[in-house]
């Protein structure tokens, strides 16, 4: 976007900064919001938004950059803009139930209920997951047991394949081995030219030479060692020949064991006994897991049932306290609305029990309303006009302000189209609310403007071919003149000034 083409700013070389400072000491619950979004909490918090001529903007909370969504969400918890166009919240069941709970002193019980509900729902999800897992395990159980039994019958041991393959090689080549061992033994033991016979003669000669010095002695020892080693080799050849098996039955058994290993490796897609042992361990865990799952499910079901009982108890407390407060709240609401020009306004509250555990209990709330005597009750959003909704919302929030800390509230011309007497009553309600919270009122009615601790005038001026919007804090005399103009029109008459002075006093 080029500067000046659709730019939200008048000057294409200057950015706009909007900044607001809030005292958050009365709203301890906001600390959770700051924690959720990893923001630095400060009792004096500053929200800032900077808009560039290009239309791009940045948002900050206590100088930390944040998304516009975070600033918007925080702003909604700090400022409540109340206008005829923004009273639809009143028609929502959740808001109605929140009001009743605030008046009934249910907030602590509700907080505990929601904690237990979250654990209850979480446990329920875990239960469903475990039951699904158990069903899958059951479907595979027979096959896993068959595979495990097959592997366990093989009596798998580390290194067994190498041992069996060696034994199979010996058994399958027994005749050749025995023939070779016999020939080797004959080389050692042949009487005249055998290895031992020749080495015996050599040893005898070296014995005679050993007397003629260290060199001959050393040579004799080496020949002696050679003779001893050769004698040992000859003995071992005899032992191997004597121990060599030629049992066809053993050969068949070893061959069968090896073939079983090869078949199991092929079946499971592995190439060693160690891998088969690992698969066996996994299968054993799966087979044993069914019992573990059953135990886990049993424990979770007991815990789930306990949470359900607690939820029932808390939901019953919520219902009891709501039922107690509704008649008193209805009477107060109808009394105040009567003073706001709705003398025949009447309400009925219906607590509808449900089967599920919702965020606010096991029930929903319906507010039925009629503006006329003998009129038919209906849902608030269907039976109330925009002006009636606005006055009902003002009354409800004025009552609510005594029970919980509300954010700064801005009333945007909610007094439009009401008579002087009713506007005076609306001004009194706003003034009463200001004892508990900060109130802004945008109004054209002097009865409302006169009740404020401070009064600002918003006006427009034309300078150098451009219109500028200004806002000015009025002193006492300026305020008197402005109220007189609001009363009298284009000029402040003596009567209007006198009336304005009465309003201020």
């Amino acid at each position: 976007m080029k500067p000046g083409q659709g730019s939200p700013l008048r000057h294409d070389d200057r950015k706009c900064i909007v900044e607001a400072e809030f005292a958050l000491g009365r709203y301890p619950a906001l600390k959770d919001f700051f924690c959720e979004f990893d923001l630095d909490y400060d009792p004096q918090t500053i929200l800032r938004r900077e808009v560039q001529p290009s239309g791009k903007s940045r948002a900050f909370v206590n100088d930390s950059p944040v998304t516009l969504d975070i600033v918007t969400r925080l702003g909604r918890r700090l400022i409540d803009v109340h206008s005829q166009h923004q009273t639809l919240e009143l028609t929502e069941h959740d808001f109605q139930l929140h009001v009743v709970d605030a008046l009934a002193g249910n907030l602590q019980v509700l907080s505990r209920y929601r904690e237990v509900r979250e654990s209850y729902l979480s446990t329920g999800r875990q239960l469903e997951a475990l039951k699904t897992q158990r069903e899958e395990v059951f479907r595979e159980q027979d096959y896993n047991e068959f595979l495990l039994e097959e592997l366990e019958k093989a009596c798998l041991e580390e290194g067994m394949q190498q041992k069996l393959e060696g034994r199979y090689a010996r058994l399958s080549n027994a005749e050749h081995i025995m023939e070779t061992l016999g020939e080797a033994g004959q080389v050692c033991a042949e009487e005249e030219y055998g290895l031992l016979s020749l080495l015996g003669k050599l040893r005898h000669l070296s014995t005679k030479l050993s007397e003629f010095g260290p060199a001959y002695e050393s040579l004799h020892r080496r020949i002696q060692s050679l003779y001893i080693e050769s004698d040992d080799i000859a003995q071992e050849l005899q032992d191997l020949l004597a121990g060599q098996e030629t049992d066809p039955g053993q050969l068949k058994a070893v061959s069968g064991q090896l073939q079983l290993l090869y078949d199991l490796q092929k079946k499971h897609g592995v190439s060693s006994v160690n891998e088969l042992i690992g698969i066996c361990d996994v299968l054993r865990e799966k087979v044993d897991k069914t019992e573990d799952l059953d135990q886990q499910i049993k424990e979770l079901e007991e815990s789930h049932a306990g949470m359900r009982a607690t939820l029932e108890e808390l939901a019953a407390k919520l219902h009891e306290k709501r039922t107690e407060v509704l008649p008193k709240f209805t009477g107060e609401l109808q009394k105040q609305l009567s003073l706001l020009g709705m003398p025949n306004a009447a309400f009925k509250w219906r607590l509808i029990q449900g089967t599920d555990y919702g965020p606010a209990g096991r029930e929903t709330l319906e507010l039925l309303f009629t503006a006329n005597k003998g009129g038919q009750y209906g849902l608030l959003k269907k039976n109330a006009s925009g002006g009636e909704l606005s006055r009902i919302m003002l009354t409800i929030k004025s009552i609510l302000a005594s029970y919980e800390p509300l954010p700064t509230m801005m009333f945007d011309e909610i007094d439009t189209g009401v008579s002087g007497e009713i506007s005076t009553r609306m001004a009194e309600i706003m003034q009463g609310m200001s004892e508990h919270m900060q109130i802004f009122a945008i109004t054209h009615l002097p009865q409302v403007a006169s009740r404020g601790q401070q009064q600002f005038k918003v006006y427009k001026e034309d300078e150098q071919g451009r219109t500028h919007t200004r806002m000015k804090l009025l002193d006492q005399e300026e305020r008197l003149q402005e109220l007189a103009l609001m009363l009298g029109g284009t000029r402040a008459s003596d009567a209007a000034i006198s009336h304005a002075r009465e309003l201020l006093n």
Side-chain angles (χ1 to χ4, degrees):
M1 180 188 297
K2 294 181 180 179
Q5 296 183 354
S7 171
L9 305 182
R10 172 171 290 179
H11 301 286
D12 58 13
D13 60 343
R14 296 163 63 187
K15 67 179 179 180
C16 171
I17 299 177
V18 180
E19 188 173 274
E21 184 174 355
F22 297 88
L24 306 186
R26 294 179 62 241
Y27 312 105
L30 283 177
K31 289 183 179 180
D32 295 335
F33 182 93
F34 280 76
C35 183
E36 178 183 354
F37 293 100
D38 196 24
L39 297 172
D40 293 331
Y41 176 82
D42 192 321
Q44 295 297 123
T45 283
I46 297 175
L47 273 61
R48 185 172 83 254
R49 187 177 176 194
E50 299 178 359
V51 183
Q52 304 292 334
S54 64
K56 294 182 179 179
S57 69
R58 296 191 302 165
F60 302 84
V61 175
N62 293 330
D63 289 328
S64 296
V66 295
T67 63
L68 184 58
D69 177 65
I70 290 177
V71 169
T72 302
R73 291 171 66 176
L74 180 56
R76 285 174 181 163
R77 299 182 66 169
L78 295 171
I79 299 179
D80 183 354
V81 179
H82 182 79
S83 69
Q84 285 197 9
H85 301 292
Q86 291 172 307
T87 52
L88 292 179
E89 182 186 29
L90 177 59
T91 66
E92 299 296 328
H93 299 320
D94 289 346
F95 175 77
Q96 296 168 6
L97 200 54
H98 169 75
V99 172
V100 172
D101 281 331
L103 270 57
N106 266 343
L107 299 185
Q108 284 188 345
V109 178
L110 191 58
S111 176
R112 172 62 180 154
Y113 170 87
R114 285 172 175 161
E115 287 178 7
V116 176
R117 176 179 178 267
E118 183 59 37
S119 298
Y120 175 79
L121 294 177
S122 176
T123 303
R125 290 190 292 268
Q126 291 179 51
L127 262 175
E128 288 302 314
L130 284 176
K131 287 178 179 178
T132 301
Q133 188 178 353
R134 183 175 62 178
E135 289 175 5
E136 293 174 356
V137 169
F138 277 149
R139 283 197 295 269
E140 299 175 358
Q141 184 79 350
D142 289 342
Y143 185 56
N144 287 337
E145 286 179 351
F146 167 75
L147 293 177
L148 178 61
E149 184 179 359
E150 190 177 49
L151 288 169
E152 287 181 337
K153 281 182 178 179
C155 300
L156 301 172
E157 293 179 5
E158 188 175 348
M160 69 179 296
Q161 183 172 340
Q162 290 81 358
K163 293 177 182 177
L164 286 171
E165 286 173 340
R167 191 175 181 194
Y168 176 79
R170 292 192 299 274
L171 287 168
S172 60
N173 295 280
E175 291 184 2
H176 176 66
I177 292 172
M178 291 175 70
E179 182 180 341
T180 305
L181 286 171
E183 290 180 4
Q186 194 172 10
V187 167
C188 292
E190 204 271 329
E191 186 175 346
E192 187 173 354
Y193 296 106
L195 179 62
L196 290 176
S197 178
L198 294 173
L199 283 174
K201 292 177 181 180
L202 183 61
R203 182 179 63 169
H204 177 70
L205 294 172
S206 67
T207 302
K208 295 179 179 181
L209 292 172
S210 63
E211 299 176 358
F212 300 107
Y216 297 105
E217 174 65 25
S218 175
L219 180 62
H220 171 68
R221 285 197 301 270
R222 289 172 62 193
I223 293 172
Q224 176 71 9
S225 296
L226 183 59
Y227 178 83
I228 294 172
E229 180 66 20
S230 298
D231 187 52
D232 286 343
I233 290 172
Q235 184 61 47
E236 189 168 345
L237 287 171
Q238 289 181 12
D239 293 342
L240 288 172
L241 180 59
Q244 177 61 38
E245 297 175 295
T246 57
D247 188 344
Q250 284 292 323
L251 177 61
K252 185 178 179 180
V254 171
S255 177
Q257 285 181 282
L258 274 175
Q259 190 57 50
L260 176 59
L261 291 182
Y262 297 150
D263 290 344
L264 289 173
Q265 289 171 16
K266 183 178 179 180
K267 184 174 185 175
H268 292 280
V270 297
S271 59
S272 70
V273 171
N274 283 350
E275 289 174 296
L276 287 177
I277 292 173
I279 291 171
C280 188
D281 292 339
V282 171
L283 287 170
R284 191 174 292 109
E285 286 179 9
K286 286 183 177 180
V287 170
D288 294 341
K289 198 170 187 179
T290 306
E291 295 181 5
D292 294 339
L293 282 174
D294 287 338
Q295 183 61 29
Q296 289 181 55
I297 289 172
K298 180 181 178 182
E299 291 174 359
L300 276 179
E301 284 178 337
E302 291 174 354
S303 176
H304 200 239
M307 293 176 189
R308 185 184 183 92
T310 303
L311 281 177
E312 284 286 352
E313 181 182 342
L314 292 170
K317 286 183 180 179
L318 290 171
H319 175 75
E320 181 182 355
K321 296 181 79 173
R322 288 165 181 166
T323 303
E324 289 176 358
V325 80
L326 283 174
K328 179 182 177 183
F329 178 40
T330 303
E332 182 67 21
L333 191 56
Q334 291 177 173
K335 176 183 175 182
Q336 292 208 29
L337 285 173
S338 177
L339 299 175
L340 290 177
M342 297 173 64
N344 297 318
F347 298 89
K348 283 184 179 179
W349 301 84
R350 287 199 309 208
L351 287 168
I352 303 171
Q353 290 294 317
T355 56
D356 296 329
Y357 295 100
R362 292 194 64 183
E363 58 197 1
T364 56
L365 181 68
E366 279 189 353
L367 175 57
L368 304 179
F369 166 76
T370 180
N372 306 306
K373 268 188 180 179
Q376 187 172 357
Y377 286 91
L379 292 175
L380 190 62
K381 61 183 175 183
K382 293 183 178 179
N383 272 22
S385 66
E388 289 169 340
L389 280 175
S390 183
R391 278 178 275 180
I392 293 170
M393 181 65 122
L394 172 62
T395 303
I396 285 177
K397 288 194 173 178
S398 70
I399 296 172
L400 193 58
S402 301
Y403 290 86
E404 69 170 0
L406 296 178
T408 294
M409 190 168 293
M410 184 172 290
F411 293 102
D412 185 7
E413 298 189 1
I414 65 162
D415 47 24
T416 301
V418 300
S419 67
E421 181 181 353
I422 295 176
S423 65
T424 298
R425 176 57 188 155
M426 292 179 78
E428 290 173 352
I429 290 176
M430 293 182 203
Q431 188 176 29
M433 292 176 69
S434 70
E435 296 177 5
H436 306 283
M437 57 192 294
Q438 188 177 41
I439 299 290
F440 289 91
I442 301 171
T443 182
H444 293 284
L445 294 180
Q447 291 92 336
V448 175
S450 64
R451 295 291 179 130
Q453 293 180 342
Q454 293 178 315
Q455 184 174 345
F456 291 83
K457 179 180 180 180
V458 181
Y459 59 98
K460 294 183 178 180
E461 286 184 341
D462 294 333
E463 291 181 2
Q464 299 178 352
R466 287 185 179 272
T467 300
H468 299 268
T469 301
R470 313 287 192 196
M471 187 167 76
K472 180 183 180 183
L473 176 62
L474 304 180
D475 60 25
Q476 189 70 8
E477 184 58 34
E478 290 170 331
R479 192 173 180 188
L480 184 66
Q481 292 295 322
E482 186 61 28
L483 288 173
L485 288 173
M486 294 171 74
L487 285 164
T490 56
R491 56 182 294 273
S493 64
D494 291 342
I497 290 176
S498 176
H499 190 186
R501 185 173 283 108
E502 288 180 11
L503 288 175
L504 281 176
N505 293 332

